[in-house]
C-alpha cells in the first residue's frame, strides 16, 4: 500500500509528516471556528428574527444595528478581510499566521453568512405555532426555545452543513497568507514547487471532508424532520 501511494503521490510521500500536519491543522480550524461561529450565529440569528418588525421582541434599533453590521462584513471579500484584520488578529491571537492566527478571521468571515442562514431557517417557523405559544402564555425566550429552535432543528442542520462546507473552503484560502492547513500545503508544494500530485492530494482530502460533513448533515436533517 505504501509503495502504491508513493508511486501515485511521490512528493506527498516524501513530505508525509508535513501533509498529515496540514490535515490536522485544517481540522482544527474547521472545528474551533465552526463551533464558535455556530454559537455566535445562532445568537445573532435569533436576535434578528425576534427583533424584526412584528417579531416577538420587536426592536427597530437592535435589528438595524445587527442587520447593517452583518451586511457590512458579508460584502467584504474574505481574502481582503484577512488582510484588514491582521492588526486586530495580532492583538487577539498574538500572531497573524498559523492556525492560531487564522481562527479569528475565519470566525469573522463565516459568522455573517452563517447568521443569515440561521435567520432563514428560523423564519421558516409556522406563524400559527408562534401565535399558539403566545396564547398559552409562553414568555419570549420560551417561544424561542420551544417553538423557534425546536421546530427549526432540521433547517438549522441543513444550513449548518452548507456553512461548514463553505468554511472548509475558507480554510484553504487562509493558506495563501500563511495560515497553515491544506491550503498552505497546496500553495507551498503544489504551486510554488510545481508538484502537481501535492495539489491533487489536497483536493482529494478536501473532497473527503466535504463529503463526510454532507453525509452527517443530511442524516441529522432527515432524522430531525417531523
Amino acid at each position: 500500500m505504501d509503495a502504491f501511494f508513493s508511486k501515485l503521490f511521490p512528493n506527498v510521500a516524501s513530505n508525509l509528516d508535513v501533509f498529515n500536519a496540514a490535515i490536522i491543522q485544517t481540522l482544527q480550524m474547521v472545528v474551533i471556528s465552526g463551533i464558535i461561529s455556530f454559537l455566535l450565529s445562532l445568537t445573532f440569528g435569533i436576535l434578528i428574527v425576534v427583533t424584526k418588525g412584528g417579531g416577538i421582541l420587536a426592536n427597530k434599533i437592535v435589528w438595524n444595528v445587527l442587520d447593517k453590521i452583518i451586511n457590512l462584513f458579508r460584502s467584504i471579500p474574505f481574502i481582503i478581510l484577512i488582510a484588514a484584520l491582521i492588526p486586530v488578529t495580532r492583538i487577539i491571537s498574538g500572531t497573524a499566521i498559523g492556525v492560531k492566527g487564522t481562527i479569528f478571521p475565519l470566525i469573522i468571515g463565516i459568522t455573517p453568512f452563517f447568521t443569515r442562514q440561521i435567520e432563514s431557517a428560523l423564519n421558516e417557523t409556522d406563524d400559527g405555532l408562534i401565535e399558539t405559544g403566545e396564547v398559552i402564555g409562553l414568555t419570549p425566550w420560551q417561544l424561542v426555545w420551544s417553538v423557534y429552535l425546536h421546530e427549526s432543528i432540521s433547517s438549522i442542520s441543513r444550513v449548518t452543513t452548507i456553512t461548514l462546507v463553505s468554511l472548509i473552503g475558507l480554510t484553504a484560502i487562509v493558506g495563501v497568507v500563511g495560515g497553515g492547513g491544506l491550503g498552505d500545503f497546496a500553495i507551498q508544494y503544489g504551486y510554488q514547487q510545481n508538484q502537481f500530485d501535492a495539489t491533487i492530494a489536497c483536493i482529494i482530502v478536501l473532497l473527503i471532508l466535504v463529503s463526510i460533513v454532507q453525509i452527517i448533515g443530511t442524516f441529522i436533517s432527515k432524522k430531525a424532520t417531523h
Side-chain angles (χ1 to χ4, degrees), residues 82 89-90 93-106 174 179:
I82 297 172
T89 303
R90 283 179 178 152
S93 305
T95 179
I97 60 174
V99 174
K100 191 176 179 182
T102 59
I103 298 300
F104 178 68
L106 282 171
V174 295

Side-chain angles (χ1 to χ4, degrees), residues 68-86:
K68 298 303 182 290
I69 291 174
I70 290 169
N71 286 341
L72 171 66
F73 281 99
R74 280 192 70 190
S75 66
I76 305 173
F78 184 62
I79 192 70
I80 296 176
L81 182 64
I82 297 172
L85 289 174
I86 285 177

Side-chain angles (χ1 to χ4, degrees), residues 14-58:
S14 61
N15 296 284
L16 194 57
D17 290 341
V18 180
F19 184 66
N20 289 335
I23 295 174
I24 293 172
Q25 289 170 353
T26 295
L27 292 174
Q28 289 174 333
M29 288 187 278
V30 171
V31 172
I32 296 173
S33 58
I35 291 173
I36 296 174
S37 64
F38 174 79
L39 296 175
L40 290 174
S41 301
L42 189 62
T43 301
F44 294 147
I46 290 171
L47 286 174
I48 286 176
V49 169
V50 301
T51 60
K52 68 181 180 180
I56 59 176
L57 288 173

Side-chain angles (χ1 to χ4, degrees), residues 124-164:
E124 293 177 8
T125 305
D126 188 350
D127 290 337
L129 293 174
I130 299 169
E131 291 172 3
T132 301
E134 290 175 326
V135 168
I136 64 176
L138 294 181
T139 66
W141 297 113
Q142 285 176 326
L143 281 171
V144 168
W145 179 261
S146 302
V147 180
Y148 278 108
L149 293 179
H150 184 268
E151 294 299 319
S152 302
I153 292 175
S154 178
S155 295
I156 291 174
S157 299
R158 175 171 45 81
V159 300
T160 299
T161 301
I162 294 170
T163 303
L164 284 177

